Amino acid sequence: WAELGVWVGLGSSLVPPACGKPQQLNRVVGGEDSTDSEWPWIVSIQKNGTHHCAGSLLTSRWVITAAHCFKDNLNKPSLFSVLLGAWQLGNPGSRSQKVGVAWVQPHPVYSWKEGARADIALVRLERSIQFSERVLPICLPDASIHLPPNTHCWISGWGSIQDGVPLPHPQTLQKLKVPIIDSEVCSHLYWRGAGQGPITEDMLCAGYLEGERDACLGDSGGPLMCQVDGAWLLAGIISWGEGCAERNRPGVYISLSAHRSWVEKIVQGVQLRGRAQGGGALRAPSQGSGAAARS
């Protein structure tokens, strides 16, 4: 616990931990399984006790995910719970935390159609969670962040490993490195004829044009994460795609840069990070809640 500083278990009035910085010491990268505590902001949103979607922790009371995860159930928050700090869903361990959902705030322009723009929702937890090395917030990108094509980012989730093939027990969190795809290229790939371009200005595409590697069913709502100056930023939210890992059908994500101001209006204390300017000073969390010192 020493490396986590004084805030662990001492209530939320103290400075929260720095966003986007895993605290683990053992980083084994290279396989498809992630390592324990590698992505401590990823949560499993469960419906009736079963994994339904993924999400990302922004603060001790807020999770961000895809709005379509709550289609037809927006007024039934009691159906849902959020599991934090789990690496294997089949074996979440004593240090994981399960919290109920107080309410869900979908983006006001989301139209509840598949592939619609603004497929993003904020989930208010019933109580504040305790941060630990397994449970930490991710950063939002500030206005300095632009992700050019071929930027390498990561996605992670507990979704199906192929169309119709669920992740086998013990359901270990999977991860995949994906390059950002130029939005014009993506628009052409998904073009449906005159006036039918489904890639809207708030969408990002990422993945492989040859297929074979992609997000899939059950990964919805999870993060597209890019590391900038040593901190992990939430660049996008897994939203839709045609099939899974099909040729010329990359994954489509809702861009957080496009919706940052909406998130900031609702979530007090969300931390923004960007490119270090000059002396490396970074933006404090919004709403004046005080930034955690950079380690």
Side-chain angles (χ1 to χ4, degrees):
W1 296 105
E3 76 272 23
L4 292 178
V6 293
W7 46 263
V8 174
L10 292 180
S12 55
S13 60
L14 290 169
V15 175
C19 63
K21 301 214 171 212
Q23 300 282 348
Q24 73 194 61
L25 304 172
N26 57 325
R27 297 212 57 165
V28 185
V29 175
E32 288 303 282
D33 286 3
S34 68
T35 56
D36 197 1
S37 307
E38 186 175 4
W39 314 114
W41 36 82
I42 292 188
V43 307
S44 167
I45 296 173
Q46 311 211 324
K47 184 179 172 189
N48 294 320
T50 303
H51 175 74
H52 179 60
C53 277
S56 302
L57 188 66
L58 293 179
T59 69
S60 63
R61 285 296 294 269
W62 288 98
V63 160
I64 192 165
T65 186
H68 78 254
C69 294
F70 300 97
K71 188 174 168 65
D72 303 327
N73 291 299
L74 196 56
N75 58 353
K76 301 175 199 157
S78 59
L79 292 181
F80 296 94
S81 58
V82 174
L83 179 65
L84 308 100
W87 173 49
Q88 299 177 319
L89 290 187
N91 177 26
S94 59
R95 288 180 292 174
S96 64
Q97 301 175 52
K98 201 165 202 176
V99 189
V101 169
W103 76 84
V104 177
Q105 178 76 57
H107 195 287
V109 309
Y110 180 62
S111 65
W112 301 99
K113 294 188 185 75
E114 187 165 337
R117 65 186 293 263
D119 180 14
I120 183 172
L122 291 163
V123 177
R124 174 74 168 173
L125 304 178
E126 278 187 338
R127 58 180 171 80
S128 285
I129 53 85
Q130 295 287 333
F131 292 117
S132 71
E133 84 272 17
R134 290 171 175 269
V135 179
L136 292 168
I138 193 169
C139 315
L140 287 193
D142 74 10
S144 72
I145 295 297
H146 299 282
L147 299 170
N150 274 335
T151 304
H152 278 269
C153 300
W154 289 81
I155 55 175
S156 188
W158 292 279
S160 301
I161 50 172
Q162 281 170 250
D163 237 337
V165 183
L167 183 64
H169 187 82
Q171 293 174 277
T172 301
L173 185 64
Q174 301 293 294
K175 65 177 183 182
L176 176 67
K177 191 178 194 175
V178 289
I180 303 287
I181 292 173
D182 180 79
S183 55
E184 275 192 32
V185 170
C186 196
S187 288
H188 284 298
L189 293 175
Y190 276 113
W191 190 248
R192 306 222 198 303
Q196 298 275 299
I199 305 300
T200 57
E201 77 296 333
D202 71 336
M203 292 178 189
L204 273 174
C205 300
Y208 299 91
L209 299 189
E210 68 271 22
E212 297 174 22
R213 293 168 288 178
D214 194 9
C216 202
L217 194 68
D219 288 322
S220 284
L224 172 69
M225 307 169 277
C226 309
Q227 196 173 28
V228 175
D229 290 346
W232 288 95
L233 312 183
L234 181 64
I237 288 173
I238 298 173
S239 178
W240 64 279
E242 275 181 20
C244 300
E246 289 184 21
R247 191 177 178 81
N248 288 332
R249 291 290 181 269
V252 185
Y253 303 79
I254 300 298
S255 159
L256 259 295
S257 292
H259 296 295
R260 177 197 316 109
S261 59
W262 176 72
V263 175
E264 279 193 278
K265 274 205 282 278
I266 295 170
V267 181
Q268 296 211 335
V270 64
Q271 297 180 57
L272 304 185
R273 291 286 183 276
R275 304 255 169 222
Q277 316 277 310
L282 291 177
R283 282 277 304 274
S286 60
Q287 312 286 350
S289 58
R294 290 187 61 175
S295 51

